[in-house]
């Protein structure tokens, strides 16, 4: 089954404790990206990647890191989480080569930083 | 920076009536305009999209129109049904400017009243 898998689905952590949210896709998509969803603010892009070893900032990259060492994986790293990073996070992937880019989303990861 | 404005933020219609959601984008390099539907507690899923070389596209009860000159695009849902109740997001994406940000609007919560 074609899918984007992200883990963990739910996480409660404390300020400053490094954490990683994993994202993996099995569709051989070139494009992968991370979003945070907050009430009234829609989906805001954190980082995206057009291919292996190619990453770039979205609109809200502060406090986050990513890497794309393999085509299928795109982990989101919070080196020192803060309460303002409490949010619902979505990973998504798409086949960008054709000029259209239909995103397939993961199920979401709800993060709470105390 | 680039942005996508979406209106209205909430929309209530009677079952069987039509619903229209409007978006405006700022980056003239955008050439792909998808619409995603997010049901409560679920991930966003594509419902219809349009490329910049097309003015209108229909798929059964939903249609999207694009005015490139005005940088406007709209989602039209006819004969609304209770299962159309959800949050709808417009988005803009393009490859001609050298950046590949995928920018979403802030969402419209559609309620279809039975």
């Amino acid at each position: 089954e074609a899918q984007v898998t992200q883990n963990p689905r739910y996480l409660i952590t404390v300020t400053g404790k490094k954490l990683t949210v994993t994202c993996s896709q099995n569709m051989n998509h070139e494009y992968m990206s991370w979003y945070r969803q907050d009430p009234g603010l829609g989906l805001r892009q954190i980082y995206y990647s057009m291919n292996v070893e190619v990453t770039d900032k979205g609109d809200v990259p502060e406090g986050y890191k990513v890497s794309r060492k393999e085509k299928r994986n795109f982990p989101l790293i919070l080196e020192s989480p803060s309460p303002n990073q409490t949010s619902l996070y979505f990973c998504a992937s798409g086949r960008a080569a054709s000029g259209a880019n239909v995103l397939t989303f993961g199920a979401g990861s709800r993060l709470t930083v105390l | 920076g680039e942005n996508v404005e979406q209106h209205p933020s909430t929309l209530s219609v009677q079952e069987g009536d039509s619903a229209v959601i409007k978006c405006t984008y700022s980056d003239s390099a955008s050439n792909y305009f998808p619409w995603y539907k997010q049901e409560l507690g679920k991930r966003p899923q594509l419902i219809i999209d349009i490329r910049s070389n097309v003015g209108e596209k229909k798929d059964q009860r939903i249609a999207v129109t694009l005015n490139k000159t005005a940088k406007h695009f709209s989602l039209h849902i006819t004969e609304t049904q209770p299962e159309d109740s959800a949050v709808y997001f417009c988005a803009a994406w393009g490859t001609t400017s050298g950046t590949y940000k995928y920018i979403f609007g802030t969402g419209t919560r559609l309620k279809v009243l039975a």
Side-chain angles (χ1 to χ4, degrees):
Chain A
E1 181 190 352
Q3 59 186 358
V4 176
T5 303
Q6 54 182 109
N7 284 295
R9 295 287 315 280
Y10 302 92
L11 179 63
I12 300 175
T13 190
V14 296
T15 299
K17 186 175 182 182
K18 179 179 178 180
L19 69 93
T20 299
V21 187
T22 63
C23 175
S24 181
Q25 51 97 1
N26 63 0
M27 296 165 281
N28 202 35
H29 284 165
E30 298 84 12
Y31 192 88
M32 296 189 74
S33 58
W34 278 101
Y35 303 85
R36 59 178 291 173
Q37 185 173 23
D38 303 289
L41 297 179
L43 294 157
R44 293 182 294 167
Q45 191 172 46
I46 302 170
Y47 271 95
Y48 63 92
S49 169
M50 279 295 287
N51 217 321
V52 176
E53 302 292 358
V54 180
T55 63
D56 210 343
K57 296 177 181 178
D59 287 333
V60 289
E62 295 79 17
Y64 305 94
K65 287 175 59 177
V66 293
S67 66
R68 187 94 182 269
K69 296 188 173 72
E70 305 164 286
K71 196 170 186 179
R72 63 184 292 124
N73 295 324
F74 191 48
L76 179 70
I77 303 158
L78 286 72
E79 293 270 3
S80 182
S82 61
N84 64 11
Q85 292 179 298
T86 292
S87 187
L88 177 60
Y89 291 87
F90 285 100
C91 179
S93 71
R95 190 178 305 284
S98 64
N101 190 0
V102 178
L103 294 182
T104 299
F105 283 83
S109 296
R110 186 166 293 282
L111 171 65
T112 301
V113 183
L114 302 176
Chain B
E2 307 91 342
N3 75 309
V4 175
E5 292 188 4
Q6 182 173 348
H7 299 281
S9 57
T10 61
L11 179 60
S12 294
V13 299
Q14 290 294 133
E15 182 177 358
D17 286 351
S18 296
V20 180
I21 303 170
K22 298 183 178 182
C23 290
T24 303
Y25 62 98
S26 62
D27 187 359
S28 56
S30 298
N31 54 14
Y32 175 66
F33 307 94
W35 287 87
Y36 290 83
K37 175 184 180 181
Q38 186 179 28
E39 296 177 349
L40 190 62
K42 301 274 183 76
R43 71 195 79 185
Q45 292 191 297
L46 181 86
I47 54 170
I48 195 167
D49 57 7
I50 192 167
R51 298 199 198 195
S52 60
N53 58 350
V54 176
E56 183 175 1
K57 183 178 179 180
K58 287 184 180 179
D59 183 2
Q60 299 182 344
R61 295 187 298 108
I62 60 173
V64 56
T65 58
L66 171 65
N67 181 331
K68 278 201 69 179
T69 303
K71 296 183 186 173
H72 290 169
F73 59 114
S74 300
L75 177 70
H76 304 253
I77 306 175
T78 59
E79 301 172 20
T80 53
Q81 301 166 4
E83 52 265 37
D84 294 329
S85 296
V87 178
Y88 292 81
F89 293 98
C90 61
W93 187 74
T95 59
T96 58
S97 65
T99 67
Y100 304 96
K101 287 185 180 180
Y102 208 111
I103 302 173
F104 285 85
T106 50
T108 296
R109 183 174 299 279
L110 174 64
K111 297 180 185 177
V112 179
L113 308 171

